[in-house]
Every structure is written in C-alpha cells, then in structure tokens.
Amino acid sequence: MKKTVPQFVEAKQKKEKLTMVTAYDYSIAKLVDNSNIDSILVGDSLGMVMLGYENTLQVTMKDMIHHTKAVVKGAKNTMVIADMPFMSYHVSIEKAVENAGRLIKETNATAVKLEGGIEMADTIKAIVKAQIPVVAHIGLTPQSVNIFGGFKVQGKNIDAAKKLIEDAKAVEKAGAYAVVLECVPEKLAKIITEELEIPTIGIGAGNVCDGQVLVYQDMLNMFSGFKPKFVKMYADIGKDIENAFNRYVEEVKTEVFPAKEHTFAISDDVIEKLY
Ligand SMILES: Nc1nc(=O)c2c([nH]1)NC[C@@H]1CN(c3ccc(C(=O)N[C@@H](CCC(=O)O)C(=O)O)cc3)CN21
Ligand SMILES: CC(C)C(=O)C(=O)O
Ligand SMILES: [Mg+2]
C-alpha cells in the first residue's frame, strides 16, 4: 500500500518529498501504480491532452467520472485525486458538495481537487465536512484562463504575492490536506511552503515545494500542444510511438509483418478439400 491521506500530510513533517503524476485511463494508472509514485491526479487537463480542447473549461462531470473510474480500477494501491471540473463547484456550496460526492461515489477516488483560494474556503470547508478529502490548487488556476488572459505565472507583484500567501493560509484553514502551487515564482513558493503545515505540491513552483506534480504526457513527451517551461522530459515516448507506427507501415508493405509466429495454422487436408 502506498500513502493514505494522513500519511501524505505526515510526509511533510518527515521531510519526505511527495510525487504525483496525472493519469486518465486504466493502462497508465497501472503503470503508475507499479512505480514508486505516491499519488495520481485525474486532472481536468484531460480536456487538453485527451480530448484536444484548447483549455480545461469544457470538461464535464461526465468526463471526469468516466476517466476517474478507469484510473481507480488500475490504481489498486495508489491514492487517486479527481479534479472538480469548471462550474461543478462555482454555482453554490450545495452543488459543490453534491458534485464532490458524485466524484467519490461514482468512481471510488480518494479525494477531490478544486481551484481557488480565499474565495473557495467555505466550499472546501463544506466538502471536508462531508468527509471528502480536498486538495486545493492556487496560483495559475487554469479554469480562470479567461480572467488571467492566458496561462501566466502568478504572484509576481507585491499585492498578488500577498494574496497568494493569504490564499494558501485560507485553504489550509478550510481543511484542505494539500495544496497545488502552479506557476508560482520559486521564492514565493518557498515562503508559502514554510508558512503551511499541509504539503505544497508544485508544478512550475521550484524544488522548494513539499512535492511535485506533472502531466504524464508532458514528462514522456507525448503531447505536442505546448511545452511549459516547468516541464522536464523523462522519456521520448512520442517519438518512440511515431517510429513504431512507421516501422509497422514498412513491415506491412514489405510483408515482413505478420510473420509465421503471428499467424494461425490449419491442416493441409482441410485446405485440399477446399480446392
Ligand atoms: N499538457 C498539459 N500540461 C499542463 O501542465 C497543463 C495542461 N496540459 N492543461 C491544464 C494546465 C494548463 N497549464 C499550463 C499551460 C501553459 C503554460 C505556459 O505556457 N506557461 C508559460 C508561462 C508564461 C509566463 O507567464 O511567463 C511558460 O513559458 O511556461 C503553463 C501552464 C498547466 N496545465
Ligand atoms: C496540472 C495539474 C495540477 C492539474 O490541475 C491538471 O492536470 O488538471
Ligand atoms: Mg486541473
């Protein structure tokens, strides 16, 4: 068994780094489960990497449930966190609790994640009151892309930096057990990490965070939509896939594939009778 929610929080006191990657289906979830990664995020980034949308705004509860169910089946021993999609927690606190509940009940994920700081504190509190663990997400919150005017680094001026520190404290006070810091300058992420008891999980926030998260297609170089500065390539699977497809085409054309070992036999008697 890998980490539970309390163990995830304790990791910070023990100064053990936390590791998280996204997954959106059964096969990848199994690979993550077999690795030493602590937790899986079924991110609403699936709208971009799996469904080809230009941002995460069109992702629905149905999409999140569909993908999270598959991930949970593959991740027998790994904590699965499901992103709450845009507009599933903004209309009212009641609807937010209801949708968080659906995500857990219909998928058996462990926790939900939602974007926002101070303004979401009461929502986080209500979901935690329903006994659903919540991960918060502040800084570059992609569901605010049209307010921000793009995917931009947050917290660079004094007011924005102070607001982010207040956001972090507010989500901790509201009962979040971890907080994702996305695209936050490293020195600000350090202050936030030191101020909080709960772990900070960084993406584009430096190695000062208590843990890190990356979209798996980014780290394996299998997504060509864009490449944020914070991404490091750990394998070149995209190129490997393209090369494999081209070798397959070549072998089909030259009749190298399928070979004997890929084909089924029949007795010559039967064939003779057919002729
Ligand atoms: N494949 C993928 N990876 C992600 O990390 C990711 C998604 N999709 N979808 C949802 C959000 C969107 N994210 C993004 C997307 C683009 C940038 C980006 O291009 N950032 C600029 C920063 C520009 C600036 O303000 O200086 C960069 O150069 O990194 C950052 C985060 C992070 N999330
Ligand atoms: C980038 C991470 C933190 C996320 O929210 C997602 O994948 O949707
Ligand atoms: Mg997300």
Side-chain angles (χ1 to χ4, degrees):
M1 281 298 282
K2 293 198 222 176
K3 287 185 174 60
T4 61
V5 168
Q7 286 164 348
F8 204 80
V9 180
E10 282 160 22
K12 177 167 181 143
Q13 279 117 49
K14 295 187 192 159
K15 297 193 184 333
E16 282 172 25
K17 289 284 183 177
L18 292 160
T19 51
M20 181 186 291
V21 289
T22 64
Y24 314 103
D25 67 35
Y26 176 75
S27 301
I28 287 286
K30 274 184 87 164
L31 293 173
V32 180
D33 202 53
N34 291 340
S35 79
N36 297 324
I37 285 172
D38 293 314
S39 61
I40 292 177
L41 174 66
V42 186
D44 58 349
S45 51
L46 70 83
M48 297 169 76
V49 294
M50 303 298 286
L51 306 176
Y53 300 150
E54 67 176 301
N55 56 47
T56 58
L57 303 182
Q58 295 174 78
V59 175
T60 63
M61 279 292 293
K62 199 174 166 195
D63 293 329
M64 291 310 306
I65 289 167
H66 177 80
H67 287 272
T68 306
K69 260 176 151 167
V71 168
V72 169
K73 285 217 174 80
K76 295 272 180 273
N77 298 305
T78 308
M79 180 199 296
V80 176
I81 300 153
D83 254 350
M84 294 195 72
F86 180 54
M87 289 313 282
S88 70
Y89 56 100
H90 306 77
V91 177
S92 69
I93 289 180
E94 286 72 19
K95 288 212 167 94
V97 175
E98 193 173 299
N99 283 322
R102 278 192 67 200
L103 275 173
I104 303 298
K105 261 197 130 87
E106 295 181 33
T107 71
N108 202 28
T110 300
V112 300
K113 179 166 80 57
L114 57 83
E115 298 179 8
I118 294 169
E119 71 280 10
M120 284 297 161
D122 289 340
T123 305
I124 294 171
K125 214 177 282 179
I127 297 171
V128 174
K129 193 174 167 199
Q131 309 303 303
I132 298 170
V134 174
V135 175
H137 179 164
I138 63 172
L140 196 190
T141 45
Q143 293 172 14
S144 314
V145 62
N146 291 327
I147 295 285
F148 294 155
F151 296 125
K152 299 198 176 121
V153 177
Q154 300 296 308
K156 290 201 353 181
N157 65 50
I158 182 67
D159 290 341
K162 277 188 183 161
K163 164 77 164 56
L164 263 188
I165 296 170
E166 293 314 311
D167 282 337
K169 288 182 178 166
V171 297
E172 170 171 277
K173 187 153 176 277
Y177 76 94
V179 57
V180 168
L181 303 183
E182 179 166 347
C183 287
V184 173
E186 180 169 33
K187 287 179 179 169
L188 176 57
K190 183 166 188 282
I191 295 172
I192 292 171
T193 300
E194 286 168 355
E195 285 284 322
L196 298 189
E197 306 257 343
I198 60 170
T200 57
I201 310 297
I203 174 164
N207 63 10
V208 293
C209 296
D210 299 303
Q212 298 294 325
V213 58
L214 278 177
V215 169
Y216 85 84
Q217 285 93 342
D218 292 343
M219 63 188 289
L220 304 182
N221 202 27
M222 29 189 319
F223 176 67
S224 52
F226 51 81
K227 198 171 170 68
K229 187 182 180 195
F230 55 74
V231 170
K232 179 170 176 180
M233 197 210 299
Y234 284 88
D236 201 354
I237 306 296
K239 202 79 216 145
D240 286 349
I241 291 175
E242 275 180 30
N243 289 341
F245 289 155
N246 287 333
R247 273 201 299 128
Y248 167 69
V249 168
E250 206 43 47
E251 293 199 350
V252 168
K253 287 186 173 172
T254 56
E255 298 183 8
V256 168
F257 177 83
K260 266 277 176 299
E261 68 263 34
H262 309 117
T263 57
F264 304 99
I266 184 171
S267 101
D268 288 344
D269 287 358
V270 177
I271 294 297
E272 263 163 41
K273 279 177 192 145
L274 285 176
Y275 280 110

